[in-house]
């Protein structure tokens, strides 16, 4: 119930922000009725996360059942608050309902990158394959974003 | 705790609405009985201030770091996190670092950011340093034995401290469940506000200015 409320609030927030933005955002990939928007990964050393949004423009529900990349192991996780702790829980699959959005974002659902073979630096890109139950498999290129606003892309402190 | 999260989201939402402009202004936004315009801080306000804890852990150069002594006279952010944390820890650290970058050097110099690892097994001092440098070379990383870290946590949070819990991943490795909020101590060594996940860069920026009495 609480999770439902939180998700609801986040969606309202996302829509509010979306409404400000002028609606010029284009999907980076399409597969069947599904559109993938704004994928990004955070700069990191060994474990990381990919975030993105999926829109289902069709009239049948679909499910994101797997993701893979050549740079890391991948699991779907969601972050939540439980008993005062931030807790990450594995998620088997991510539903993308007909006519709706699925949002993977910081502090919620994310594609966890485990045991990365190389550091992810600003300006890097990784290839990610997403497999949907009905729509099939789509490959996307995910940019790695600087962690700190104002940090120059392509520079690193390490 | 849930109220804190919801409050933050409500705040973020109201900020988002405000920044949108357009539309008719509605009545004053009230959060926890206080009008938004009269809230001193945008983080989650504590009913009673928490004192700054006294503990000694090891910093990223391997030297003992006395938290109370070394942060005396600074606005201090204290966070318990870990470098293998893929989601919330880097987001928190990045937001604080982004807020600090928007402030002049002399203001930034009055703020210390300290992360105590909840994963001392993997977070060596070298690794902590390397990871914190992704955000800012000025961020301080502390480690110790798990017992020392739990003791520091208890001193900071009392009964609210919950020891980090390792959760295995499917094919090896683990994540760590841990306290998710950032505590902010003023120059008077009292914390009046904490930051659950979901606090934005602008909210941190607003509160840092308030704590240092820097005009926006």
């Amino acid at each position: 119930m609480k999770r439902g409320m939180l998700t609801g609030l986040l969606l309202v927030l996302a829509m509010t922000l979306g409404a400000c933005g002028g609606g010029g955002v284009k999907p980076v990939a399409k597969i069947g009725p599904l559109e993938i928007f704004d994928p990004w990964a955070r700069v990191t050393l060994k474990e990381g996360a990919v975030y993105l949004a999926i829109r289902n423009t069709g009239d049948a529900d679909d499910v994101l059942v797997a993701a893979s990349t050549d740079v890391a192991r991948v699991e779907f996780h969601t972050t939540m608050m439980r008993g005062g702790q931030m807790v990450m829980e594995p998620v088997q699959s991510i539903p993308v309902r007909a006519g709706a959005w699925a949002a993977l974002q910081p502090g919620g659902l994310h594609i966890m990158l485990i045991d990365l073979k190389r550091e992810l630096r600003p300006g890097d890109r990784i290839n990610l394959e997403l497999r949907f139950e009905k729509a099939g498999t789509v490959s996307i290129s995910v940019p790695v974003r600087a962690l700190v606003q104002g940090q120059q892309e392509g520079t690193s402190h390490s | 705790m849930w109220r804190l999260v919801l409050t933050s989201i409500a705040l973020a939402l109201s900020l988002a609405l405000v920044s949108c402009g357009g539309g008719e202004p509605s009545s004053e936004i009230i959060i926890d009985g206080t009008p938004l315009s009269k809230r001193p801080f945008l983080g989650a306000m504590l009913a009673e201030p928490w004192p700054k804890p006294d503990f000694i852990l090891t910093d990223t150069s391997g030297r003992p770091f006395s938290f109370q002594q070394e942060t005396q006279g600074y606005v201090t952010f204290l966070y318990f996190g870990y470098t293998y944390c893929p989601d919330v820890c880097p987001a928190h650290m990045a937001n604080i670092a982004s807020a600090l970058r928007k402030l002049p050097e002399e203001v930034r110099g009055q703020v210390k950011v300290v992360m105590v690892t909840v994963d001392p097994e993997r977070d060596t001092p070298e690794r902590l340093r390397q990871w914190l440098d992704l955000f800012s070379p000025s961020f301080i990383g502390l480690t110790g034995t798990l017992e020392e870290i739990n003791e520091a946590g208890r001193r900071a949070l009392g009964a609210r401290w919950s020891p980090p819990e390792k959760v295995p991943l499917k094919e090896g490795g683990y994540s760590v469940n841990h306290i998710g909020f950032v505590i902010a101590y003023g120059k008077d060594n009292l914390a009046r506000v904490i930051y659950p996940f979901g606090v934005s860069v602008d909210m941190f920026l607003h509160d840092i200015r308030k704590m240092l009495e820097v005009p926006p």
Side-chain angles (χ1 to χ4, degrees):
Chain A
M1 184 60 217
K2 277 176 175 173
R3 253 180 94 191
M5 268 172 75
L6 179 60
T7 310
L9 277 166
L10 286 173
L11 277 172
V12 172
L13 180 58
M15 286 190 292
T16 310
L17 292 169
C20 292
V25 184
K26 289 201 173 73
V28 296
K30 290 186 190 185
I31 172 106
L34 304 182
E35 298 175 336
I36 316 294
F37 289 85
D38 192 30
W40 64 284
R42 213 187 256 106
V43 170
T44 191
L45 301 179
K46 198 68 184 164
E47 316 239 310
V50 174
Y51 307 100
L52 49 85
I54 306 160
R55 177 157 73 174
N56 185 346
T57 62
D59 47 20
D61 293 349
D62 206 336
V63 181
L64 176 60
V65 287
S68 62
T69 172
D70 52 0
V71 295
R73 262 161 54 214
V74 168
E75 286 185 19
F76 299 142
H77 278 254
T78 189
T79 303
M80 65 185 85
M81 189 78 93
R82 196 172 54 209
Q85 285 196 325
M86 292 306 284
V87 174
M88 279 203 325
E89 287 201 341
V91 174
Q92 289 315 307
S93 58
I94 295 171
V96 190
R97 305 208 190 285
W101 289 83
L104 282 66
Q105 58 197 352
L109 282 170
H110 54 274
I111 298 171
M112 184 175 173
L113 304 174
I114 303 162
D115 203 12
L116 278 157
K117 288 179 188 152
R118 58 180 166 86
E119 290 177 21
L120 301 184
R121 291 165 180 273
D124 285 357
R125 298 188 86 91
I126 61 171
N127 290 316
L128 186 72
E129 220 175 65
L130 302 171
R131 187 156 62 82
F132 295 94
E133 196 177 74
K134 295 198 180 102
T137 300
V138 63
S139 206
I140 57 169
S141 170
V142 179
V144 177
R145 286 198 195 153
L147 291 161
V148 180
Q149 291 174 16
Q151 248 178 11
Q152 268 189 318
E153 299 279 322
T155 59
S156 166
H157 290 288
S158 56
Chain B
M1 180 50 63
W2 265 101
R3 256 182 85 204
L4 300 182
V5 176
L6 291 177
T7 305
S8 310
I9 290 164
L11 275 167
L13 180 58
S14 55
L15 287 178
L17 287 166
V18 169
S19 67
C20 254
E24 285 293 307
S26 58
S27 60
E28 179 81 87
I29 296 161
I30 312 281
I31 291 167
D32 288 347
T34 310
L36 183 58
S37 58
K38 300 220 161 53
R39 278 176 71 92
F41 300 113
L42 296 180
M45 300 282 299
L46 300 170
E48 294 287 332
W50 296 351
K52 191 187 266 180
D54 189 16
F55 59 77
I56 297 173
L57 289 168
T58 305
D59 70 14
T60 51
S61 60
R63 281 192 282 271
F65 184 96
S66 164
F67 183 68
Q68 222 176 43
Q69 253 174 27
E70 306 257 9
T71 61
Q72 179 65 40
Y74 292 86
V75 163
T76 307
F77 288 97
L78 175 63
Y79 184 60
F80 293 88
Y82 66 112
T83 76
Y84 281 71
C85 174
D87 189 34
V88 297
C89 314
H92 259 324
M93 292 294 108
N95 286 342
I96 298 173
S98 299
L100 287 172
R101 275 179 88 99
K102 295 182 180 199
L103 292 163
E105 185 70 50
E106 69 271 18
V107 176
R108 226 183 297 163
Q110 299 174 58
V111 180
K112 287 198 175 178
V113 179
V114 178
M115 183 174 96
V116 175
T117 181
V118 292
D119 185 15
E121 198 178 310
R122 291 184 295 190
D123 284 345
T124 59
E126 299 73 33
R127 195 194 156 80
L128 264 173
R129 183 70 270 140
Q130 199 188 355
W131 190 78
L132 289 169
D133 280 350
L134 296 172
F135 308 94
S136 168
S138 73
F139 284 12
I140 295 157
L142 299 181
T143 185
T145 64
L146 200 53
E147 294 74 50
E148 289 167 339
I149 290 162
N150 276 319
E151 180 58 25
R154 276 191 293 271
R155 290 190 186 191
L157 291 155
R160 290 172 207 88
W161 174 252
S162 41
E165 271 173 71
K166 276 206 242 179
V167 182
L169 298 170
K170 258 181 280 177
E171 294 165 47
Y174 58 90
S175 64
V176 182
N177 294 346
H178 61 107
I179 289 283
F181 53 82
V182 177
I183 310 166
Y185 299 94
K187 286 188 172 182
D188 59 359
N189 294 334
L190 291 174
R192 292 183 180 76
V193 61
I194 64 171
Y195 300 91
F197 190 77
V199 175
S200 69
V201 173
D202 286 342
M203 289 163 81
F204 275 117
L205 184 61
H206 171 277
D207 283 11
I208 294 168
R209 284 188 173 128
K210 271 283 168 75
M211 282 182 253
L212 289 167
E213 290 162 8
V214 178

